[in-house]
Amino acid sequence: MPAEPSDRRTVRAQWGPVSWSYTAADEAETARVAAQLVTTTPSVWPAYGRLRLRVRSMRDQTALDRLERMASGPARRLREENYWRTPDGTWLCCGDRPADAADPALPRHAIGHRYGWWTILHDDSGTEQRARTGDIVLRALVAAALSALGGLTVHASAAIGRDGRAIAFLGDSGTGKSTLALRLARTGGGFVSGDRTLLVPGPGGWWAVGSGLLPRFRWGTLDALGLATRVREAALLRHGDGHCRVADLPQAPAKVVFTPAEAERVLGVRTADCAPLDKLVVLSPAEGGGVPVARAIVPEVTAAAVRAQSLPCDAGFLAWPAAGRSTQVRDIAGLAEEVAGSALGWDPVRQRAEDALGRVLVGFPGGAPSGWRGAAP
């Protein structure tokens, strides 16, 4: 197995049971990957039973030219790019994108696995483009590993309370998932994920694990939590490359994206890769009245909600090389039996997040946090 060359730079971190490293010759590239993917608090996943993921980024235009001559269809999709396979199993991205692609195209690159390493081959694209490619590929590989361990990807936001356990908020767009998760994280716990969460079987039960998607919030959420003014005054990496205030951008983003360090500095929340899962909260529009309404639900209803909010794995066509490794595949029905479920009807526009969250936290281990300002049920 080849050793890491001495002239290369490596960043290491963890997502739940996956310990990953990213190595590149360009220190600025690894710094940018680290800024986007390394959370601000250490992982609490136990040290035993972890998977090891090693990714290295290399520039080799000659090798890409050779792979391009050998690659053939059919095309397979990862995020907003199409890839073609070469005879040695390497996947090449070299244009001809899906018709519905909206984000800027990635530069030509290839992804391959040899001798325990995943390698990304780049052409002469710049640091920012290589880091962007590395970010997307690394997140897909982590998703592949978590899926091999029985992880489920769901449309949910997750945060940690003061007791160190997570609540995952499931629901359609606009039901206030990220608002409630951010509000819970600001009580002294931590923010795990927004919009996409992996539910992974692990030591002691199920865990909420982040998808690697950076925290992102609509202005309505930021306004509701009194954070909009602070955000407008901030300079953020994903908006103007950190060189100007959000207020000075030519066009305000519909969703504001934060790196983990920016979430702590600007929003006042720590970020975490995972936490033991204590409750699944299914969100729906308020059924009438002036206060949020929460109630316990039976496992069958919880399972139906998880199925309704299930999402395709972010790994795309990439598969974890798990030959010879046993996996802990457990189904949604088992998840619903093991994790408490509740339903919350509320209006994120007209009702306060602290009131809604206070309803959810009643009956939660330890109850609502001390000094909680939400309404009592």
Side-chain angles (χ1 to χ4, degrees):
M1 185 176 296
E4 294 180 13
S6 59
D7 62 340
R8 298 173 73 80
R9 303 293 183 266
T10 299
V11 58
R12 295 179 176 84
Q14 189 169 335
W15 279 336
V18 182
S19 295
W20 61 263
S21 65
Y22 185 91
T23 301
D26 183 355
E27 189 169 3
E29 179 183 340
T30 56
R32 196 174 183 97
V33 169
Q36 298 184 94
L37 297 179
V38 179
T39 56
T40 58
T41 56
S43 181
V44 297
W45 191 280
Y48 60 87
R50 294 178 182 174
L51 293 179
R52 186 179 185 190
L53 167 63
R54 300 193 299 174
V55 179
R56 57 185 171 187
S57 169
M58 305 177 69
R59 282 174 278 181
D60 193 334
Q61 188 166 340
T62 301
L64 285 174
D65 292 340
R66 176 178 56 82
L67 290 170
E68 189 166 354
R69 291 191 294 270
M70 296 189 298
S72 60
R76 302 289 298 275
R77 181 168 179 166
L78 176 62
R79 294 287 297 275
E80 295 195 348
E81 306 295 336
N82 281 332
Y83 292 75
W84 287 263
R85 191 165 188 171
T86 66
D88 68 355
T90 301
W91 291 94
L92 177 74
C93 171
C94 58
D96 192 13
R97 308 180 76 208
D100 60 347
D103 291 337
L106 295 177
R108 185 177 67 154
H109 64 277
I111 309 167
H113 183 260
R114 294 286 187 282
Y115 308 113
W117 284 89
W118 287 89
T119 300
I120 309 172
L121 288 179
H122 304 271
D123 58 18
D124 289 330
S125 55
T127 296
E128 182 179 350
Q129 291 289 357
R130 291 195 303 275
R132 179 169 167 249
T133 302
D135 169 271
I136 289 172
V137 173
L138 180 55
R139 285 193 284 119
L141 291 172
V142 172
L146 293 174
S147 179
L149 292 174
L152 308 169
T153 304
V154 292
H155 192 199
S157 298
I160 307 167
R162 287 183 179 176
D163 66 346
R165 299 182 66 81
I167 302 179
F169 300 94
L170 294 83
D172 296 332
S173 297
T175 53
K177 299 184 299 298
S178 295
T179 300
L180 293 174
L182 181 56
R183 182 66 180 86
L184 178 61
R186 282 172 57 80
T187 67
F191 189 85
V192 176
S193 59
D195 215 39
R196 299 175 81 86
T197 302
L198 285 112
L199 307 179
V200 181
W206 287 80
W207 291 61
V209 180
S211 67
L213 193 67
L214 290 177
R216 59 198 63 208
F217 304 100
R218 298 183 188 276
W219 287 105
T221 292
L222 299 172
D223 276 320
L225 299 180
L227 296 168
T229 299
R230 188 185 307 176
V231 171
R232 290 187 179 96
E233 293 299 314
L236 304 175
L237 182 66
R238 295 293 288 269
H239 303 291
D241 208 28
H243 296 314
C244 68
R245 300 182 312 157
V246 172
D248 296 331
L249 294 172
Q251 183 175 358
K255 283 189 175 183
V256 187
V257 183
F258 302 85
T259 67
E262 290 167 349
E264 184 163 356
R265 172 172 56 85
V266 180
L267 304 179
V269 297
R270 295 178 297 171
T271 55
D273 66 298
C274 68
L277 180 62
D278 205 275
K279 182 175 286 192
L280 293 165
V281 178
V282 182
L283 304 181
S284 62
E287 299 176 356
V291 296
V293 177
R295 57 183 175 83
I297 53 178
V298 298
E300 291 78 10
V301 175
T302 302
V306 172
R307 291 189 185 96
Q309 298 299 333
S310 293
L311 298 171
C313 175
D314 287 337
F317 60 83
L318 295 174
W320 184 255
R325 181 182 180 92
S326 62
T327 57
Q328 307 175 46
V329 178
R330 281 143 69 177
D331 60 16
I332 292 175
L335 165 68
E337 289 286 347
E338 295 176 44
V339 180
S342 65
L344 173 66
W346 81 299
D347 184 336
V349 175
R350 296 180 176 83
Q351 296 170 347
R352 299 192 311 164
E354 50 263 43
D355 292 343
L357 197 53
R359 300 273 172 169
V360 170
L361 290 173
V362 172
F364 195 75
S370 176
W372 188 257
R373 296 184 291 111

PDB file of all heavy atoms in Angstrom, residues 110-129:
ATOM      1  N   ALA A 110     -11.414  12.555 -12.804  1.00  0.00           N
ATOM      2  CA  ALA A 110     -11.709  11.127 -12.758  1.00  0.00           C
ATOM      3  C   ALA A 110     -11.650  10.656 -11.315  1.00  0.00           C
ATOM      4  O   ALA A 110     -10.952  11.237 -10.479  1.00  0.00           O
ATOM      5  CB  ALA A 110     -10.717  10.345 -13.616  1.00  0.00           C
ATOM      6  N   ILE A 111     -12.406   9.574 -11.020  1.00  0.00           N
ATOM      7  CA  ILE A 111     -12.477   9.000  -9.678  1.00  0.00           C
ATOM      8  C   ILE A 111     -12.158   7.513  -9.784  1.00  0.00           C
ATOM      9  O   ILE A 111     -12.782   6.794 -10.579  1.00  0.00           O
ATOM     10  CB  ILE A 111     -13.882   9.162  -9.061  1.00  0.00           C
ATOM     11  CG1 ILE A 111     -14.367  10.611  -9.151  1.00  0.00           C
ATOM     12  CG2 ILE A 111     -13.906   8.671  -7.620  1.00  0.00           C
ATOM     13  CD1 ILE A 111     -15.847  10.771  -8.845  1.00  0.00           C
ATOM     14  N   GLY A 112     -11.199   7.053  -8.985  1.00  0.00           N
ATOM     15  CA  GLY A 112     -10.857   5.638  -9.008  1.00  0.00           C
ATOM     16  C   GLY A 112     -10.463   5.139  -7.631  1.00  0.00           C
ATOM     17  O   GLY A 112     -10.157   5.923  -6.727  1.00  0.00           O
ATOM     18  N   HIS A 113     -10.484   3.810  -7.453  1.00  0.00           N
ATOM     19  CA  HIS A 113     -10.138   3.191  -6.170  1.00  0.00           C
ATOM     20  C   HIS A 113      -9.079   2.126  -6.389  1.00  0.00           C
ATOM     21  O   HIS A 113      -9.258   1.216  -7.194  1.00  0.00           O
ATOM     22  CB  HIS A 113     -11.383   2.561  -5.532  1.00  0.00           C
ATOM     23  CG  HIS A 113     -11.122   1.960  -4.186  1.00  0.00           C
ATOM     24  ND1 HIS A 113     -10.929   0.610  -4.000  1.00  0.00           N
ATOM     25  CD2 HIS A 113     -11.012   2.534  -2.958  1.00  0.00           C
ATOM     26  CE1 HIS A 113     -10.709   0.368  -2.719  1.00  0.00           C
ATOM     27  NE2 HIS A 113     -10.750   1.511  -2.071  1.00  0.00           N
ATOM     28  N   ARG A 114      -7.938   2.274  -5.677  1.00  0.00           N
ATOM     29  CA  ARG A 114      -6.846   1.312  -5.770  1.00  0.00           C
ATOM     30  C   ARG A 114      -6.137   1.226  -4.426  1.00  0.00           C
ATOM     31  O   ARG A 114      -5.836   2.245  -3.801  1.00  0.00           O
ATOM     32  CB  ARG A 114      -5.803   1.742  -6.817  1.00  0.00           C
ATOM     33  CG  ARG A 114      -6.286   1.763  -8.263  1.00  0.00           C
ATOM     34  CD  ARG A 114      -6.426   0.354  -8.847  1.00  0.00           C
ATOM     35  NE  ARG A 114      -6.736   0.437 -10.265  1.00  0.00           N
ATOM     36  CZ  ARG A 114      -7.947   0.716 -10.749  1.00  0.00           C
ATOM     37  NH1 ARG A 114      -8.955   0.918  -9.913  1.00  0.00           N
ATOM     38  NH2 ARG A 114      -8.143   0.776 -12.056  1.00  0.00           N
ATOM     39  N   TYR A 115      -5.842   0.025  -3.963  1.00  0.00           N
ATOM     40  CA  TYR A 115      -4.980  -0.215  -2.809  1.00  0.00           C
ATOM     41  C   TYR A 115      -5.417   0.567  -1.565  1.00  0.00           C
ATOM     42  O   TYR A 115      -4.596   1.085  -0.821  1.00  0.00           O
ATOM     43  CB  TYR A 115      -3.531   0.145  -3.153  1.00  0.00           C
ATOM     44  CG  TYR A 115      -3.026  -0.510  -4.411  1.00  0.00           C
ATOM     45  CD1 TYR A 115      -2.731   0.257  -5.536  1.00  0.00           C
ATOM     46  CD2 TYR A 115      -2.870  -1.899  -4.485  1.00  0.00           C
ATOM     47  CE1 TYR A 115      -2.276  -0.338  -6.700  1.00  0.00           C
ATOM     48  CE2 TYR A 115      -2.418  -2.499  -5.648  1.00  0.00           C
ATOM     49  CZ  TYR A 115      -2.121  -1.720  -6.755  1.00  0.00           C
ATOM     50  OH  TYR A 115      -1.682  -2.316  -7.913  1.00  0.00           O
ATOM     51  N   GLY A 116      -6.726   0.641  -1.353  1.00  0.00           N
ATOM     52  CA  GLY A 116      -7.231   1.318  -0.166  1.00  0.00           C
ATOM     53  C   GLY A 116      -7.364   2.823  -0.287  1.00  0.00           C
ATOM     54  O   GLY A 116      -7.792   3.484   0.661  1.00  0.00           O
ATOM     55  N   TRP A 117      -7.004   3.395  -1.438  1.00  0.00           N
ATOM     56  CA  TRP A 117      -7.119   4.833  -1.672  1.00  0.00           C
ATOM     57  C   TRP A 117      -8.202   5.112  -2.720  1.00  0.00           C
ATOM     58  O   TRP A 117      -8.302   4.422  -3.727  1.00  0.00           O
ATOM     59  CB  TRP A 117      -5.809   5.404  -2.218  1.00  0.00           C
ATOM     60  CG  TRP A 117      -4.715   5.574  -1.232  1.00  0.00           C
ATOM     61  CD1 TRP A 117      -3.761   4.654  -0.882  1.00  0.00           C
ATOM     62  CD2 TRP A 117      -4.433   6.740  -0.469  1.00  0.00           C
ATOM     63  NE1 TRP A 117      -2.913   5.176   0.049  1.00  0.00           N
ATOM     64  CE2 TRP A 117      -3.289   6.456   0.320  1.00  0.00           C
ATOM     65  CE3 TRP A 117      -5.024   8.007  -0.378  1.00  0.00           C
ATOM     66  CZ2 TRP A 117      -2.733   7.391   1.194  1.00  0.00           C
ATOM     67  CZ3 TRP A 117      -4.464   8.927   0.485  1.00  0.00           C
ATOM     68  CH2 TRP A 117      -3.338   8.621   1.267  1.00  0.00           C
ATOM     69  N   TRP A 118      -8.965   6.170  -2.484  1.00  0.00           N
ATOM     70  CA  TRP A 118      -9.779   6.770  -3.542  1.00  0.00           C
ATOM     71  C   TRP A 118      -8.981   7.946  -4.093  1.00  0.00           C
ATOM     72  O   TRP A 118      -8.504   8.787  -3.326  1.00  0.00           O
ATOM     73  CB  TRP A 118     -11.116   7.256  -3.003  1.00  0.00           C
ATOM     74  CG  TRP A 118     -12.062   6.152  -2.679  1.00  0.00           C
ATOM     75  CD1 TRP A 118     -12.183   5.489  -1.499  1.00  0.00           C
ATOM     76  CD2 TRP A 118     -13.028   5.570  -3.559  1.00  0.00           C
ATOM     77  NE1 TRP A 118     -13.162   4.524  -1.570  1.00  0.00           N
ATOM     78  CE2 TRP A 118     -13.704   4.553  -2.830  1.00  0.00           C
ATOM     79  CE3 TRP A 118     -13.398   5.803  -4.880  1.00  0.00           C
ATOM     80  CZ2 TRP A 118     -14.712   3.780  -3.379  1.00  0.00           C
ATOM     81  CZ3 TRP A 118     -14.416   5.031  -5.437  1.00  0.00           C
ATOM     82  CH2 TRP A 118     -15.064   4.036  -4.693  1.00  0.00           C
ATOM     83  N   THR A 119      -8.823   7.983  -5.409  1.00  0.00           N
ATOM     84  CA  THR A 119      -8.024   9.029  -6.036  1.00  0.00           C
ATOM     85  C   THR A 119      -8.895   9.863  -6.960  1.00  0.00           C
ATOM     86  O   THR A 119      -9.687   9.324  -7.743  1.00  0.00           O
ATOM     87  CB  THR A 119      -6.861   8.417  -6.843  1.00  0.00           C
ATOM     88  OG1 THR A 119      -6.029   7.662  -5.961  1.00  0.00           O
ATOM     89  CG2 THR A 119      -6.032   9.507  -7.511  1.00  0.00           C
ATOM     90  N   ILE A 120      -8.748  11.193  -6.838  1.00  0.00           N
ATOM     91  CA  ILE A 120      -9.388  12.121  -7.763  1.00  0.00           C
ATOM     92  C   ILE A 120      -8.296  12.708  -8.642  1.00  0.00           C
ATOM     93  O   ILE A 120      -7.371  13.358  -8.143  1.00  0.00           O
ATOM     94  CB  ILE A 120     -10.122  13.264  -7.028  1.00  0.00           C
ATOM     95  CG1 ILE A 120     -11.061  12.711  -5.957  1.00  0.00           C
ATOM     96  CG2 ILE A 120     -10.896  14.121  -8.025  1.00  0.00           C
ATOM     97  CD1 ILE A 120     -11.665  13.785  -5.067  1.00  0.00           C
ATOM     98  N   LEU A 121      -8.362  12.466  -9.946  1.00  0.00           N
ATOM     99  CA  LEU A 121      -7.416  13.037 -10.902  1.00  0.00           C
ATOM    100  C   LEU A 121      -8.010  14.316 -11.482  1.00  0.00           C
ATOM    101  O   LEU A 121      -9.151  14.311 -11.968  1.00  0.00           O
ATOM    102  CB  LEU A 121      -7.123  12.048 -12.031  1.00  0.00           C
ATOM    103  CG  LEU A 121      -6.265  10.821 -11.696  1.00  0.00           C
ATOM    104  CD1 LEU A 121      -6.119   9.949 -12.939  1.00  0.00           C
ATOM    105  CD2 LEU A 121      -4.897  11.239 -11.185  1.00  0.00           C
ATOM    106  N   HIS A 122      -7.243  15.381 -11.446  1.00  0.00           N
ATOM    107  CA  HIS A 122      -7.675  16.668 -11.990  1.00  0.00           C
ATOM    108  C   HIS A 122      -6.789  17.057 -13.165  1.00  0.00           C
ATOM    109  O   HIS A 122      -5.652  16.589 -13.291  1.00  0.00           O
ATOM    110  CB  HIS A 122      -7.544  17.777 -10.931  1.00  0.00           C
ATOM    111  CG  HIS A 122      -8.283  17.522  -9.663  1.00  0.00           C
ATOM    112  ND1 HIS A 122      -9.593  17.894  -9.474  1.00  0.00           N
ATOM    113  CD2 HIS A 122      -7.886  16.944  -8.497  1.00  0.00           C
ATOM    114  CE1 HIS A 122      -9.977  17.565  -8.246  1.00  0.00           C
ATOM    115  NE2 HIS A 122      -8.960  16.989  -7.638  1.00  0.00           N
ATOM    116  N   ASP A 123      -7.323  17.972 -13.985  1.00  0.00           N
ATOM    117  CA  ASP A 123      -6.459  18.607 -14.976  1.00  0.00           C
ATOM    118  C   ASP A 123      -5.831  19.845 -14.326  1.00  0.00           C
ATOM    119  O   ASP A 123      -5.605  19.854 -13.122  1.00  0.00           O
ATOM    120  CB  ASP A 123      -7.228  18.933 -16.261  1.00  0.00           C
ATOM    121  CG  ASP A 123      -8.435  19.838 -16.024  1.00  0.00           C
ATOM    122  OD1 ASP A 123      -8.489  20.483 -14.948  1.00  0.00           O
ATOM    123  OD2 ASP A 123      -9.307  19.910 -16.903  1.00  0.00           O
ATOM    124  N   ASP A 124      -5.598  20.891 -15.064  1.00  0.00           N
ATOM    125  CA  ASP A 124      -4.934  22.070 -14.506  1.00  0.00           C
ATOM    126  C   ASP A 124      -5.921  23.098 -13.953  1.00  0.00           C
ATOM    127  O   ASP A 124      -5.644  24.301 -13.966  1.00  0.00           O
ATOM    128  CB  ASP A 124      -4.054  22.725 -15.576  1.00  0.00           C
ATOM    129  CG  ASP A 124      -2.837  21.873 -15.892  1.00  0.00           C
ATOM    130  OD1 ASP A 124      -2.384  21.158 -14.982  1.00  0.00           O
ATOM    131  OD2 ASP A 124      -2.363  21.909 -17.036  1.00  0.00           O
ATOM    132  N   SER A 125      -7.074  22.659 -13.474  1.00  0.00           N
ATOM    133  CA  SER A 125      -8.048  23.578 -12.882  1.00  0.00           C
ATOM    134  C   SER A 125      -7.480  24.183 -11.603  1.00  0.00           C
ATOM    135  O   SER A 125      -6.582  23.627 -10.972  1.00  0.00           O
ATOM    136  CB  SER A 125      -9.358  22.846 -12.579  1.00  0.00           C
ATOM    137  OG  SER A 125      -9.114  21.723 -11.761  1.00  0.00           O
ATOM    138  N   GLY A 126      -8.003  25.328 -11.189  1.00  0.00           N
ATOM    139  CA  GLY A 126      -7.466  26.046 -10.048  1.00  0.00           C
ATOM    140  C   GLY A 126      -7.845  25.425  -8.717  1.00  0.00           C
ATOM    141  O   GLY A 126      -8.632  24.469  -8.626  1.00  0.00           O
ATOM    142  N   THR A 127      -7.301  26.009  -7.661  1.00  0.00           N
ATOM    143  CA  THR A 127      -7.514  25.495  -6.304  1.00  0.00           C
ATOM    144  C   THR A 127      -8.988  25.424  -5.946  1.00  0.00           C
ATOM    145  O   THR A 127      -9.471  24.410  -5.426  1.00  0.00           O
ATOM    146  CB  THR A 127      -6.779  26.388  -5.295  1.00  0.00           C
ATOM    147  OG1 THR A 127      -5.374  26.313  -5.530  1.00  0.00           O
ATOM    148  CG2 THR A 127      -7.082  25.957  -3.870  1.00  0.00           C
ATOM    149  N   GLU A 128      -9.723  26.494  -6.208  1.00  0.00           N
ATOM    150  CA  GLU A 128     -11.139  26.517  -5.830  1.00  0.00           C
ATOM    151  C   GLU A 128     -11.917  25.419  -6.531  1.00  0.00           C
ATOM    152  O   GLU A 128     -12.758  24.747  -5.914  1.00  0.00           O
ATOM    153  CB  GLU A 128     -11.738  27.889  -6.162  1.00  0.00           C
ATOM    154  CG  GLU A 128     -13.202  28.009  -5.762  1.00  0.00           C
ATOM    155  CD  GLU A 128     -13.777  29.385  -6.071  1.00  0.00           C
ATOM    156  OE1 GLU A 128     -13.000  30.300  -6.417  1.00  0.00           O
ATOM    157  OE2 GLU A 128     -15.008  29.541  -5.962  1.00  0.00           O
ATOM    158  N   GLN A 129     -11.636  25.186  -7.818  1.00  0.00           N
ATOM    159  CA  GLN A 129     -12.366  24.156  -8.560  1.00  0.00           C
ATOM    160  C   GLN A 129     -11.995  22.757  -8.084  1.00  0.00           C
ATOM    161  O   GLN A 129     -12.836  21.870  -7.975  1.00  0.00           O
ATOM    162  CB  GLN A 129     -12.086  24.297 -10.066  1.00  0.00           C
ATOM    163  CG  GLN A 129     -12.686  25.540 -10.693  1.00  0.00           C
ATOM    164  CD  GLN A 129     -14.201  25.463 -10.787  1.00  0.00           C
ATOM    165  OE1 GLN A 129     -14.822  24.454 -10.433  1.00  0.00           O
ATOM    166  NE2 GLN A 129     -14.819  26.538 -11.228  1.00  0.00           N
TER     167      GLN A 129
END
